[in-house]
Amino acid sequence: MKDLFSPYRIKELELKNRIVMPPMCQYSVEAGDGIPTNWHQHHYVSRAIGGTGLIIVEMTDVDPDGRITNGDLGLWADEQIDAFSKMVNEVHQHGAKIGIQIAHAGRKAQDAETPVAPSAIAFDESFKTPRALETEEVKEMVDKFRASVRRAVQAGFDVIELHGAHGYLIHQFISPLTNKREDEYGRDRTKFGVEVIKAVKSEMPADMPLIMRISAKEYVEGGYDLEESIAFSKVFQEAGVDMFHVSSGGEGPIGSAGRPGTHAAYQTPLAREIKKALDIPVIAVGRLDDPNLANSIIGNEEVDLVAVGRGMLRNPYWALEASKALNKKVEIPTQYERAFTH
């Protein structure tokens, strides 16, 4: 019987439990150089101490102008690798595995002098209007993703996640709302994503899984729904994605096409349908910080892994607390044993 604390394996990635810390930007690189700081070191290592099975480092960008803000992490230069390696090594010392989300913000790059995007369409009136990438620049962008993943592999990460959700660059190419191009990347809105996937896979060991985060549904008029996201996810699966991290929205201000629910597990049905349609492992995310709820969707085999975001921001030791709530015996740091056994 599977539960939240069952081990999980995909390719050569072995996790001690099904609990994931999803990427959550900290906007804390005060020097603006993309290099992790002491804050990031403490932030991620504390979740490893707290029993998390898989930690995914926040959106880390392939280009200085691809950051949401200048306080974001980056892997566009070799000089950035060592600080990530230090973080990876210390997380490993506490029994967790660690991945990294590689991305480009596209038109949502707030601090870029001139953001770039598939088409020259602003996110909203408070954002700058981006410049549409030339066809050759799109090809160069693919190589930037490839180079960043090479650095991530060199830093020792266990798994790579591509950010194809929440209205950032890969999602912008997928969406009919943001991709109005007339070249090959407009005629086939999956082409950029496919090329990125194939490029980064060429830099990854064959036994390392590739996760892709997607928005399975858009919440604006004219946006895509689950049927289309299943179709493009199938294309990405064939290109080399091993697991989908299923979220939703982010492509624009929420409009009249139906607001997302904010109830517990509101995105889990999307993940379940992707898993069923593609027969592929999925991570569910979105208001899953109740241990019994998280445990039930694993036990019911709706999803494979559960990401706990805000709950883990509130409590670095969420996984250990969940083990106590569910009466599951897990390895507790020796220094904390008395808090969980007496």
Side-chain angles (χ1 to χ4, degrees):
M1 184 82 151
K2 297 172 185 173
D3 62 46
L4 196 59
F5 289 91
S6 299
Y8 182 76
R9 177 172 178 154
I10 177 170
K11 290 192 165 181
E12 289 301 307
L13 176 67
E14 296 187 23
L15 306 177
K16 64 182 178 181
N17 59 44
R18 307 295 182 104
I19 300 167
V20 179
M21 179 185 183
M24 291 175 286
C25 287
Q26 299 295 290
Y27 307 110
S28 297
V29 183
E30 294 176 1
D33 57 7
I35 296 174
T37 66
N38 284 339
W39 172 263
H40 297 94
Q41 186 80 7
H42 297 314
H43 174 63
Y44 291 111
V45 173
S46 64
R47 273 70 186 178
I49 294 170
T52 308
L54 174 62
I55 293 162
I56 306 179
V57 171
E58 66 201 78
M59 179 171 168
T60 301
D61 298 292
V62 303
D63 186 270
D65 284 340
R67 294 173 288 179
I68 302 171
T69 75
N70 288 345
D72 291 356
L73 295 177
L75 262 177
W76 61 77
D78 289 353
E79 293 75 24
Q80 296 162 321
I81 295 171
D82 286 349
F84 284 101
S85 294
K86 180 184 176 186
M87 192 161 65
V88 168
N89 292 337
E90 196 163 344
V91 163
H92 284 162
Q93 288 175 29
H94 298 287
K97 298 297 172 67
I98 183 168
I100 187 168
Q101 186 185 73
I102 301 297
H104 189 294
R107 69 178 186 166
K108 295 175 88 171
Q110 298 172 30
D111 288 343
E113 184 175 347
T114 305
V116 296
S119 302
I121 305 169
F123 178 66
D124 64 23
E125 61 278 359
S126 67
F127 280 71
K128 298 170 185 172
T129 299
R131 177 180 64 80
L133 289 160
E134 299 291 339
T135 302
E136 191 56 40
E137 290 179 306
V138 178
K139 298 181 187 302
E140 291 169 0
M141 188 67 73
V142 172
D143 196 58
K144 289 180 181 181
F145 274 87
R146 183 199 58 74
S148 290
V149 168
R150 174 184 59 78
R151 296 181 184 104
V153 171
Q154 189 174 335
F157 284 99
D158 301 298
V159 61
I160 303 297
E161 177 171 290
L162 290 175
H163 201 346
H166 301 165
Y168 298 118
L169 188 64
I170 295 176
H171 184 182
Q172 288 165 30
F173 273 91
I174 298 168
S175 176
L177 297 165
T178 46
N179 185 349
K180 307 292 187 183
R181 301 176 68 89
E182 296 181 355
D183 67 355
E184 59 199 280
Y185 294 99
R187 291 189 294 272
D188 177 1
R189 296 197 310 273
T190 66
K191 183 176 176 61
F192 178 66
V194 166
E195 290 186 356
V196 169
I197 290 162
K198 290 181 176 179
V200 305
K201 291 283 280 194
S202 75
E203 297 289 346
M204 296 167 59
D207 56 5
M208 177 186 284
L210 176 65
I211 302 171
M212 188 172 192
R213 199 170 208 191
I214 60 164
S215 285
K217 184 176 182 179
E218 294 185 314
Y219 297 113
V220 295
E221 199 69 44
Y224 64 73
D225 211 328
L226 181 61
E227 184 177 353
E228 186 171 349
S229 67
I230 287 173
F232 70 65
S233 295
K234 180 65 175 173
V235 174
F236 295 150
Q237 179 186 22
E238 291 171 352
V241 171
D242 299 297
M243 171 180 269
F244 287 101
H245 190 170
V246 184
S247 188
S248 62
E251 69 297 319
I254 292 175
S256 59
R259 283 182 174 271
T262 55
H263 51 277
Y266 72 100
Q267 294 177 142
T268 300
L270 300 173
R272 183 178 62 232
E273 291 304 313
I274 295 282
K275 177 178 174 64
K276 180 181 176 183
L278 275 62
D279 190 25
I280 193 170
V282 296
I283 306 172
V285 66
R287 299 291 300 276
L288 295 172
D289 47 344
D290 180 304
N292 286 290
L293 175 60
N295 193 52
S296 71
I297 66 172
I298 295 293
N300 291 333
E301 299 189 1
E302 295 180 70
V303 302
D304 300 275
L305 303 176
V306 171
V308 178
R310 286 172 174 80
M312 215 171 280
L313 287 182
R314 291 191 298 270
N315 181 5
Y317 312 107
W318 186 93
L320 297 181
E321 291 281 10
S323 71
K324 188 170 176 65
L326 297 170
N327 198 29
K328 297 291 180 181
K329 187 172 182 178
V330 300
E331 187 174 349
I332 306 289
T334 304
Q335 300 88 338
Y336 295 167
E337 278 181 352
R338 57 189 164 182
F340 290 88
T341 58
H342 295 91

